[in-house]
Amino acid sequence: MANPSVVKKTSPEEKAERIGDQVLALDVKRVADWLQALVRTLKACRMYLPNNPTLHKFQSDLEARTWSCLKEIGDIVLNVQQFDLLFEDYSVYHNAAREESLAFRFYTDGVRQITFREGLEPQELRGLLDVLKKATDPSQGQDDLVTLLWERDFRHIEYVHISIDEIVEEGSGADYPNDEKGIEGGGIPWPVSSAAAEQEAPIAGPDETVVDRSDDWSPKAKVEAAWDESASIHFKLSEQETRALAEAIKVEEERPLLTEVLEIVAAILNSEDEPTSFLESATSFQKFVESALEEGDLARANELLSRLRTIAAKRSETHSEFRGLAEQVIREIGRPSFLGQFAPILNAHPELDPALLTNFLVQVGPTAAGAVCDLLGQVNHMKHRRALCEALAISCKDDVDVLISRLGDSRWYVIRNVVYVLGRIAHQGVERALDRALHHEDVRVRKEAVRALGNIESPTSRAFLVSAFRDVDASVRIQAALTLAQRRDDRAAQSLWGAITAPDFAKRDQAERRVFFEALGKCASDSFVPRLGEMITKGGLFRGPNEEERYSGALALAWLGTPKALEVLNRELQSKREPVRKAIESALEAVRNAALGKGKGPMDEDAPAGEAPAEGKP
């Protein structure tokens, strides 16, 4: 008797065959899912108008699956049967309803094989949908499919078809099996004319009736006797056995095949000793990760990627080169050609958890930064863009060159998001790169550059913020004043006071002037109290005392809020001059409302500093 404890070692050939079968199973599933997406989109084309957002979601999902299939599998060759489409001899589409079945439509029009080549273009995919819509729409008379395909002359879609004569011949054999060649083998013959029937009709005997209807003729085929159950031994299951069998069938049908295959690949990966074999198994693992992404399952993609890293870290204890091989595979996941296909999935699934998206991209690492920057220009949902920005801020904290290279992008919304990320990282040395954004033609980019510079503590960033006081747009100047005020030192206050005392300051809008005084109060020290107190009592800064000047001085003192500043305000509240008292009361009320959140801040109309930009495509 063989020893049960002895485990048969799997040969490399068997291992390769097993991995090949697993990959084939994934490819078959991927093609089947793609055909389901094609059918769903075709139905949506009939239900919705061309500009309907729901139809656009179906189309985006189909495009994503199409490019993914072609990239991962290569050319897709489908063999056509009457009710099935076969890929690698596996049925990936089945529909026996003749009016709805794509396979039946292809088959009856003579198409026997259709191939989708790599490089399939978006317009070709849309053209294919138009062809299928016309061919399967009863209201349009169901045009001949081969003719419609021929008229389109697709570059990356090829098909094999048979002639009309062959279709008729096949149809005759299928629907009427007893043609001229089949009569010898028995069966119901094809109905003949009355003249031929008279010639071939047998002479009736005395007790026989002549049959004059061809469809009443007796069949010549030999009729086998019915199965006689008593002639053999048979078993009948008890109710308990029937239930147990049904339960076993149910368990078998619900087996998570994908999970089992994954466990097999993980076990193989854990046992590999050769670098080449380890790389091959890790590449199979990569396909699992990419498949999860294509299905929009970010949780599973994170779990799989984490597991790959864990296995690689453990195996690198004895095989140091394995960690580098795993990183090579992970970098391949972050390639632009693959991640670029992820944009339609994100656009079609706004419910995806942005935290999972950030975590996945961080796991992929900084090599995917370029592809993530490309996604910033393609993703429509704000929360997904924020997740992308968060991933870039984490992944690129030690290398910002790829971000700086993207500041020359032609799309303002991409530049603004990249500037935000640079501000989050806040590396000294990127100020001059941000100065380029500070002179961008779009005001939203310039304002984001001001916020980013505010996060970098350096003389250069301070100088650039002061230069923004001269921007042609008031909102940029206001943002620069509030950003500089966050420094809360006398150097910032002196820069603001210099802007306030400049000759052109009095020509600016009243709201902007008040923001500058507010910013001054937030960063100044007691050394400014005498100057501000003099504005309240004497005026003269704007060519003579006026109500606005008194209010502005009182506002700066109220925001300063030191004992010395409050002493001046309390003293002047007892002033006999009513304009002085009113200016101070109004300033104190404005500060109290701002502290309670009742007032609208000067920048409420825009995204606050430190928050990911909200704008997408215009």
Side-chain angles (χ1 to χ4, degrees):
M1 179 181 294
N3 187 352
S5 62
V6 177
V7 179
K8 181 181 179 181
K9 187 174 181 180
T10 305
S11 67
E13 292 78 10
E14 292 174 332
K15 190 185 300 181
E17 182 179 356
R18 182 186 300 173
I19 293 177
D21 291 342
Q22 295 158 4
V23 173
L24 177 59
L26 288 176
D27 289 346
V28 170
K29 182 179 183 301
R30 186 179 283 115
V31 174
D33 291 343
W34 168 65
L35 285 171
Q36 288 180 8
L38 177 66
V39 173
R40 288 196 302 269
T41 307
L42 184 59
K43 291 181 179 178
C45 288
R46 300 193 191 103
M47 294 173 59
Y48 300 105
L49 294 174
N51 60 348
N52 189 284
T54 303
L55 175 59
H56 292 168
K57 289 183 179 180
F58 280 106
Q59 291 171 334
S60 297
D61 180 63
L62 175 62
E63 289 179 6
R65 290 182 182 275
T66 303
W67 314 150
S68 175
C69 276
L70 292 173
K71 182 64 180 177
E72 299 304 324
I73 300 175
D75 295 345
I76 301 173
V77 181
L78 301 176
N79 291 313
V80 182
Q81 293 188 350
Q82 190 170 20
F83 299 113
D84 293 85
L85 298 178
L86 304 183
F87 174 76
E88 298 289 348
D89 294 331
Y90 289 91
S91 176
V92 289
Y93 173 89
H94 174 79
N95 189 347
R98 297 191 175 195
E99 295 298 325
E100 301 177 358
S101 176
L102 281 181
F104 184 76
R105 188 61 183 163
F106 278 117
Y107 189 84
T108 54
D109 281 356
V111 178
R112 293 297 178 262
Q113 187 182 84
I114 185 164
T115 302
F116 300 88
R117 301 286 185 193
E118 284 190 85
L120 182 70
E121 300 169 356
Q123 61 268 27
E124 290 183 287
L125 184 59
R126 291 191 292 268
L128 176 66
L129 286 171
D130 290 339
V131 167
L132 296 178
K133 181 182 177 183
K134 289 181 180 178
T136 57
D137 188 355
S139 64
Q140 298 191 21
Q142 293 188 333
D143 294 332
D144 175 62
L145 186 57
V146 174
T147 302
L148 293 173
L149 290 170
W150 177 80
E151 289 174 347
R152 289 281 183 167
D153 191 24
F154 293 116
R155 292 177 54 211
H156 297 91
I157 301 176
E158 301 173 2
Y159 55 94
V160 176
H161 68 96
I162 61 177
S163 65
I164 295 178
D165 293 338
E166 291 174 301
I167 297 174
V168 172
E169 185 176 338
E170 283 190 3
S172 300
D175 293 337
Y176 314 107
N178 297 298
D179 54 11
E180 199 168 298
K181 295 180 181 179
I183 292 176
E184 293 299 326
I188 302 174
W190 179 252
V192 297
S193 64
S194 58
E198 290 178 0
Q199 294 176 1
E200 297 180 6
I203 301 174
D207 297 324
E208 294 178 321
T209 303
V210 177
V211 179
D212 58 0
R213 290 178 55 194
S214 63
D215 56 346
D216 287 339
W217 291 354
S218 299
K220 293 184 179 180
K222 182 179 180 181
V223 180
E224 298 291 341
W227 174 257
D228 183 4
E229 293 186 356
S230 63
S232 64
I233 301 175
H234 63 279
F235 300 93
K236 183 176 182 181
L237 298 178
S238 66
E239 292 185 6
Q240 182 179 359
E241 290 173 328
T242 302
R243 286 194 300 268
L245 178 60
E247 187 66 28
I249 294 173
K250 182 179 179 182
V251 170
E252 188 67 21
E253 289 177 345
E254 294 178 353
R255 283 176 59 193
L257 178 61
L258 190 62
T259 303
E260 292 185 10
V261 173
L262 172 63
E263 293 302 324
I264 294 173
V265 175
I268 294 174
L269 192 62
N270 262 315
S271 63
E272 296 290 7
D273 290 324
E274 296 295 328
T276 303
S277 300
F278 182 86
L279 181 59
E280 290 178 357
S281 299
T283 302
S284 298
F285 218 96
Q286 169 197 340
K287 291 185 178 295
F288 282 100
V289 177
E290 294 180 354
S291 177
L293 275 185
E294 291 164 0
E295 296 172 5
D297 193 343
L298 284 172
R300 183 156 58 94
N302 272 284
E303 179 185 351
L304 292 173
L305 190 53
S306 176
R307 189 169 184 181
L308 176 57
R309 285 191 175 278
T310 301
I311 293 175
K314 182 179 179 181
R315 301 291 292 130
S316 64
E317 295 175 359
T318 55
H319 299 74
S320 58
E321 68 274 23
F322 282 6
R323 186 186 295 273
L325 293 174
E327 290 295 333
Q328 176 183 333
V329 170
I330 293 172
R331 284 196 299 271
E332 185 67 13
I333 297 174
R335 66 192 185 278
S337 60
F338 175 71
L339 280 188
Q341 303 169 16
F342 196 39
I345 298 174
L346 291 175
N347 291 335
H349 298 282
E351 74 283 357
L352 292 179
D353 187 351
L356 292 175
L357 175 59
T358 297
N359 187 65
F360 176 79
L361 294 174
V362 169
Q363 283 202 78
V364 174
T367 56
V372 176
C373 288
D374 291 334
L375 285 177
L376 283 174
Q378 303 170 25
V379 174
N380 298 332
H381 301 294
M382 181 195 306
K383 67 176 185 178
H384 290 156
R385 289 198 303 276
R386 289 181 176 174
L388 296 175
C389 288
E390 186 69 21
L392 287 173
I394 297 172
S395 299
C396 299
K397 62 181 180 180
D398 297 324
D399 185 5
V400 296
D401 288 344
V402 65
L403 298 176
I404 293 175
S405 67
R406 294 300 175 127
L407 291 177
D409 198 285
S410 59
R411 297 161 293 185
W412 70 265
Y413 43 91
V414 173
I415 298 177
R416 186 184 180 192
N417 281 277
V418 171
V419 169
Y420 164 76
V421 175
L422 288 171
R424 283 285 308 278
I425 297 174
H427 275 188
Q428 290 189 11
V430 302
E431 296 94 337
R432 296 200 177 277
L434 291 174
D435 183 45
R436 290 170 54 195
L438 205 58
H439 293 85
H440 194 273
E441 61 182 6
D442 194 284
V443 64
R444 291 161 289 194
V445 174
R446 301 202 298 273
K447 287 166 71 174
E448 197 58 50
V450 167
R451 296 189 187 102
L453 286 167
N455 294 331
I456 303 173
E457 181 55 58
S458 70
T460 305
S461 67
R462 186 187 297 269
F464 285 144
L465 285 174
V466 173
S467 71
F469 290 167
R470 300 186 296 273
D471 194 277
V472 295
D473 190 273
S475 65
V476 177
R477 299 194 295 266
I478 289 173
Q479 183 66 61
L482 292 175
T483 302
L484 189 62
Q486 295 173 5
R487 304 293 173 95
R488 298 189 181 281
D489 56 34
D490 270 358
R491 287 182 297 170
Q494 288 290 355
S495 298
L496 289 166
W497 184 257
I500 289 172
T501 55
D504 64 335
F505 188 76
K507 300 177 183 178
R508 296 183 182 180
D509 183 79
Q510 182 185 70
E512 180 184 351
R513 294 199 295 266
R514 290 184 177 180
V515 170
F516 267 77
F517 276 103
E518 175 186 331
L520 177 65
K522 289 180 176 179
C523 67
S525 64
D526 283 344
S527 62
F528 282 84
V529 171
R531 287 180 250 185
L532 297 172
E534 189 175 349
M535 289 179 62
I536 297 174
T537 57
K538 296 181 180 179
L541 186 62
F542 301 146
R543 297 187 300 276
N546 58 60
E547 301 306 319
E548 184 198 341
E549 185 172 349
R550 291 191 181 94
Y551 175 81
S552 298
L555 185 65
L557 287 171
W559 278 109
L560 180 56
T562 63
K564 190 173 181 179
L566 295 178
E567 179 184 349
V568 173
L569 293 176
N570 288 329
R571 184 187 68 225
E572 295 304 326
L573 275 174
Q574 310 303 320
S575 174
K576 296 180 180 180
R577 290 183 293 176
E578 183 179 359
V580 173
R581 297 197 306 273
K582 285 187 175 180
I584 295 174
E585 290 172 354
S586 298
L588 291 173
E589 181 68 19
V591 174
R592 280 194 294 268
N593 288 337
L596 294 173
K598 295 180 179 179
K600 180 181 179 182
M603 300 303 293
D604 284 1
E605 76 281 359
D606 196 15
E611 184 175 320
E615 286 82 350
K617 297 181 180 180

